[in-house]
Amino acid sequence: MRKLASVQTIHNVEAIEGADKIEVVSVLGWKCVAKKGEFKRLDLCVYFEIDSFLPVVEEFEFLRKGSFRKNDLNGEGFLLKTRNFRGQISQGLALPISILDKFRPLDGVSWKNGDDVTNLLGVKKWEIAEIATGSGKIIGPFPYQIPKTDEIRVQAEPGLIDEFKNVPYYISTKMDGTSVTMYIIDGKFGVCSRNYEIKDDETSPAWRFVHRHDIRQKIEEGAKSIGINNIAVQGEFCGEGIQNNPLKLSSPEWYIFTLYDIDKGKRLGLEQMKNFCVSAGINMVPVEEVKLHLPYNTIDKLIERAKGKYPSGNQKEGIVIRPVDTTYSKILNGPLSMKVLNNDYLLKDN
């Protein structure tokens, strides 16, 4: 589970040029703006990740002016997004560890680095209603046999950079759309949004795309070409009406980023995914780079590498980095992978 709010260590404190009331602190791989003098290096803090939705309580009221949100799905609270203060990008929120005293008195509890306090503080992840995005009608939960698509940002787990040492890797463009999974399990074909299975009718753009382009047949042909029976094909569905269509597509497109062998419970590597997409005649996410050794050994270098634009001229969302051959990550307890978002995109989006 993602730790939206956790106890973390302040690794560095830096001044912001021209600012006398704020400074920037480093937490995990993130940098966020804090009150000047509030922290010193190696202090413990409570760190809230971006996209966290904080409850309406007195301790968070200072966020109201720029962060208050209210809707039927999430209720009311304070949404943390990427911000820019005097030229310094701030991602997340660091507050003194003492804030925990007001939610649960320190009755002998000694907080330590990494403690998850998400539930204690009533923090939730900001959710966008899938029905409102035009995904279609929900008919059931996401199939339990298939992992959901949820790439972790490198800033949340900087140790992933070390796990990529001496591992052949590739970088793909993070396409800006909505996640769509299509699967074949024991002859059954289905289509899913990020969290649910979707009904086959005209309310679903993804199902319309399936019928218009014979996608089921193409997936069957692609799976046969790589010797797999039960398969999940996951990709980014992009086009008009989705995230403001930054790719400026005249008709919907589906860009594959993951193939999953359901029988073996394994994500497939780059070459198998390429072979599948060629045989099936389905687009794959653009591959920007394939090398033996990852040269971007710091968060800052990765953030710089993530910058760029789509052919449309709009800022691209970022990049995804994966091993050429599926590799186990001790940190993730699953396939090694990480994403890096483009800060220019985040600021423009906000």
Side-chain angles (χ1 to χ4, degrees):
M1 294 291 291
R2 181 178 173 186
K3 294 180 182 179
L4 296 170
S6 60
V7 176
Q8 299 294 342
T9 300
I10 301 290
H11 293 298
N12 199 19
V13 180
E14 302 171 81
I16 299 174
E17 186 175 354
D20 56 3
K21 294 184 178 180
I22 56 175
E23 56 194 357
V24 61
V25 299
S26 298
V27 184
L28 295 169
W30 307 99
K31 290 188 176 182
C32 53
V33 170
K35 291 181 181 178
K36 196 164 189 175
E38 193 164 47
F39 299 106
K40 62 181 183 297
R41 186 173 177 273
L42 301 184
D43 277 352
L44 286 181
C45 71
V46 178
Y47 176 70
F48 302 82
E49 287 196 9
I50 53 177
D51 296 328
S52 295
F53 194 53
L54 282 58
V56 176
V57 295
E58 182 181 352
E59 288 71 24
F60 304 138
E61 276 294 328
F62 69 95
L63 296 167
R64 180 172 289 274
K65 183 176 179 180
S67 302
F68 181 77
R69 301 288 189 279
K70 180 179 180 180
N71 61 29
D72 291 339
L73 179 62
N74 298 283
E76 61 179 25
F78 307 110
L79 173 62
L80 299 183
K81 302 293 287 184
T82 300
R83 303 284 298 276
N84 188 324
F85 297 92
R86 292 183 174 268
Q88 172 62 53
I89 289 177
S90 180
Q91 294 183 300
L93 172 68
L95 294 178
I97 192 74
S98 58
I99 192 176
L100 295 176
D101 298 353
K102 299 179 181 180
F103 289 85
R104 186 174 70 192
L106 283 179
D107 49 355
V109 174
S110 179
W111 299 108
K112 63 183 184 299
N113 192 73
D115 283 346
D116 189 348
V117 292
T118 303
N119 292 332
L120 174 65
L121 299 180
V123 177
K124 302 183 294 183
K125 186 178 184 301
W126 176 258
E127 300 288 352
I128 298 175
E130 293 193 27
I131 295 301
T133 65
S135 298
K137 295 177 181 177
I138 294 171
I139 58 172
F142 197 90
Y144 71 89
Q145 305 97 319
I146 306 170
K148 289 185 180 181
T149 60
D150 191 14
E151 214 82 31
I152 192 163
R153 298 189 194 189
V154 65
Q155 293 99 322
E157 291 289 357
L160 291 172
I161 297 175
D162 289 332
E163 291 196 332
F164 268 96
K165 284 184 178 178
N166 301 316
V167 175
Y169 73 95
Y170 70 98
I171 294 178
S172 61
T173 306
K174 192 172 191 315
M175 307 303 273
D176 192 3
T178 185
S179 176
V180 168
T181 296
M182 302 188 193
Y183 70 85
I184 296 175
I185 301 177
D186 297 331
K188 179 192 173 185
F189 178 81
V191 173
C192 304
S193 63
R194 183 176 297 278
N195 295 305
Y196 302 100
E197 184 156 3
I198 300 302
K199 184 178 181 180
D200 179 4
D201 66 16
E202 281 298 307
T203 67
S204 167
W207 269 109
R208 293 199 300 269
F209 180 82
V210 167
H211 294 305
R212 187 174 297 123
H213 299 284
D214 297 321
I215 298 299
R216 174 173 183 167
Q217 181 180 345
K218 291 180 177 180
I219 289 177
E220 289 172 343
E221 291 172 356
K224 184 178 179 181
S225 72
I226 58 174
I228 294 178
N229 294 318
N230 294 323
I231 190 170
V233 185
Q234 300 180 310
E236 200 75 3
F237 193 64
C238 306
E240 188 176 356
I242 303 171
Q243 305 285 41
N244 296 319
N245 192 17
L247 297 170
K248 296 184 180 178
L249 299 173
S250 58
S251 59
E253 294 288 351
W254 188 42
Y255 299 93
I256 307 307
F257 54 70
T258 296
L259 287 185
Y260 187 76
D261 184 332
I262 295 173
D263 293 328
K264 293 183 178 179
K266 181 181 179 181
R267 178 190 289 175
L268 303 184
L270 177 61
E271 289 307 312
Q272 284 178 297
M273 187 160 62
K274 283 183 177 179
N275 293 337
F276 170 90
C277 288
V278 169
S279 297
I282 300 176
N283 289 325
M284 195 175 88
V285 289
V287 174
E288 301 182 9
E289 179 176 316
V290 183
K291 291 183 179 177
L292 293 176
H293 304 288
L294 187 70
Y296 317 105
N297 55 5
T298 67
I299 298 290
D300 287 342
K301 288 180 180 179
L302 285 168
I303 290 173
E304 187 64 28
R305 176 62 182 83
K307 292 182 177 180
K309 296 182 177 181
Y310 295 122
S312 65
N314 287 324
Q315 293 289 342
K316 71 178 182 181
E317 187 175 0
I319 58 175
V320 174
I321 307 174
R322 290 182 173 180
V324 169
D325 296 312
T326 303
T327 302
Y328 178 77
S329 165
K330 290 182 179 179
I331 292 174
L332 302 178
N333 191 28
L336 178 60
S337 183
M338 60 186 180
K339 70 181 176 184
V340 190
L341 296 191
N342 174 9
N343 281 342
D344 293 335
Y345 166 89
L346 291 173
L347 291 173
K348 183 177 184 298
D349 182 53
N350 288 334

